[in-house]
Amino acid sequence: MSWAKSRCPENVQSKGEIHDFDWCINKCQWPCLPKSVIYNITKEDELWQERTARAKKNNKDDKLRISVTSLLYCQRKHYYSLLYDFVAEPPEMWSLYLGSAVHTMLEPIDKNLTDYHFEEKFEKEFNDVTIVGKIDAIDFRLKRIEDHKSITDGGMNIKIKEGASIEHCEQINIYRWLAIEKYPAIKNFDMIINYVSMGSIVSTNTIASVVAWRKSKPSDKGMSYAVKTEQNRKGQDKWLVYYNVPEVKRWSLNKVEKFVQEKSEIMKQAILNDVIPPF
């Protein structure tokens, strides 16, 4: 379902109150976000609902359609989101809006690029359902598929050191599996996740840096090398510490299908027979 009403966060005078979006935009005296941001977030949610409704209307067959994202994270939470509208604080929804904005910023201006496909949709009949997903980018020249993720600047440092999250690796492996039927060569393509924060863009399987203020040269676990760029800030030096951002491991197709089989069966039973998914 959709974001139905707004709950005022703790840091405003109206904390805990629940209001509709018209009140947030036109009547609130203690805005938790700039009015333009609240307006854009609510409109983005409306557009998402319209796209979902069109997709359901244009569905030609009777097979249950299950998105790749519904196979990831907490499936119980996703199941409940299909059934019920929800109340949320506007700042909580900012990250979702930012994710949509990031995809818009990374979309190529030239739509006629022949070797670079952006946001291509794929479907696959499997386990008596239709698995659907949209790949952010396929670069046929560099032989790789890409997924774009928005992230905080603090979270970026973790990705640089530790690599992509488990769920993101699962997701892009399923996308690869979905696309192989149309593009068999994708079976051997690399998988790249581009993490985008307000301050930088970092891709898996590259070299990236984090800033460290130290009195001596860093020797952090997993680092590749460090470069000193500034001196004498309260007795410390500014270092750029470089790491080899881990690559996304390619799953075997059998492993992907086993994963999709298990997770899609959970969602199928939930949607068709009201069997609540496990945590």
Side-chain angles (χ1 to χ4, degrees):
M1 302 297 282
S2 64
W3 181 26
K5 289 190 176 182
S6 172
R7 180 175 56 248
C8 300
E10 285 290 320
N11 62 335
V12 296
Q13 191 168 337
S14 56
K15 65 180 181 180
E17 295 182 11
I18 296 176
H19 297 282
D20 59 27
F21 300 137
D22 179 71
W23 185 91
C24 293
I25 296 170
N26 298 310
K27 300 176 183 178
C28 177
Q29 299 298 312
W30 311 280
C32 56
L33 292 173
K35 181 184 290 189
S36 60
V37 173
I38 295 178
Y39 180 83
N40 287 343
I41 293 174
T42 58
K43 289 302 178 183
E44 178 64 28
D45 186 74
E46 289 179 11
L47 291 173
W48 183 85
Q49 291 298 319
E50 291 175 5
R51 290 193 296 267
T52 301
R54 282 199 304 271
K56 291 180 179 178
K57 184 177 180 180
N58 294 333
N59 187 16
K60 304 297 184 182
D61 54 53
D62 295 326
K63 281 189 178 295
L64 180 64
R65 298 168 66 84
I66 295 179
S67 69
V68 171
T69 52
S70 71
L71 307 177
L72 313 167
Y73 306 102
C74 176
Q75 290 186 282
R76 178 176 291 192
K77 182 178 180 180
H78 182 78
Y79 171 62
Y80 284 148
S81 73
L82 298 175
L83 299 179
Y84 307 111
D85 289 334
F86 62 91
V87 175
E89 298 175 5
E92 295 174 346
M93 304 300 290
W94 166 246
S95 61
L96 298 179
Y97 175 71
L98 181 61
S100 177
V102 163
H103 282 75
T104 300
M105 288 188 292
L106 295 179
E107 183 175 352
I109 296 175
D110 185 353
K111 307 297 184 182
N112 298 315
L113 293 174
T114 57
D115 60 355
Y116 191 83
H117 295 192
F118 189 81
E119 292 197 341
E120 186 167 355
K121 298 177 181 179
F122 295 90
E123 298 184 359
K124 187 178 182 68
E125 305 297 322
F126 185 78
N127 192 28
D128 294 325
V129 300
T130 302
I131 307 296
V132 297
K134 182 168 61 176
I135 298 179
D136 287 338
I138 306 175
D139 192 326
F140 289 94
R141 183 178 65 83
L142 295 180
K143 293 182 172 55
R144 67 189 203 177
I145 61 176
E146 302 177 9
D147 199 25
H148 307 321
K149 300 294 184 185
S150 60
I151 195 171
T152 64
D153 288 328
M156 182 69 84
N157 289 344
I158 297 175
K159 300 304 180 188
I160 289 174
K161 297 176 182 179
E162 301 180 4
S165 67
I166 293 174
E167 292 83 4
H168 295 168
C169 294
E170 293 169 345
Q171 185 174 9
I172 198 168
N173 267 286
I174 298 173
Y175 285 157
R176 167 177 159 266
W177 170 76
L178 277 179
I180 284 175
E181 187 172 329
K182 184 175 181 179
Y183 304 118
I186 281 182
K187 180 179 179 180
N188 299 313
F189 278 22
D190 292 329
M191 293 173 291
I192 303 295
I193 299 176
N194 302 310
Y195 286 103
V196 184
S197 72
M198 295 300 291
S200 62
I201 300 177
V202 170
S203 302
T204 54
N205 201 26
T206 60
I207 297 176
S209 65
V210 299
V211 174
W213 290 94
R214 306 282 176 82
K215 291 184 178 180
S216 58
K217 186 174 182 178
S219 57
D220 298 358
K221 180 181 178 181
M223 62 171 280
S224 179
Y225 61 94
V227 176
K228 183 166 65 176
T229 60
E230 296 180 20
Q231 293 179 312
N232 298 327
R233 184 188 186 224
K234 296 181 179 180
Q236 294 181 325
D237 296 325
K238 180 181 179 181
W239 295 85
L240 291 180
V241 185
Y242 287 86
Y243 293 82
N244 293 308
V245 185
E247 66 178 352
V248 176
K249 299 296 184 182
R250 186 185 298 132
W251 288 10
S252 70
L253 298 183
N254 286 338
K255 182 177 179 178
V256 176
E257 291 191 348
K258 183 178 180 180
F259 180 90
V260 175
Q261 171 80 26
E262 176 186 345
K263 297 295 185 178
S264 63
E265 184 64 26
I266 290 173
M267 289 308 300
K268 182 170 71 171
Q269 293 302 321
I271 295 170
L272 298 181
N273 300 317
D274 295 323
V275 178
I276 299 176
F279 283 112

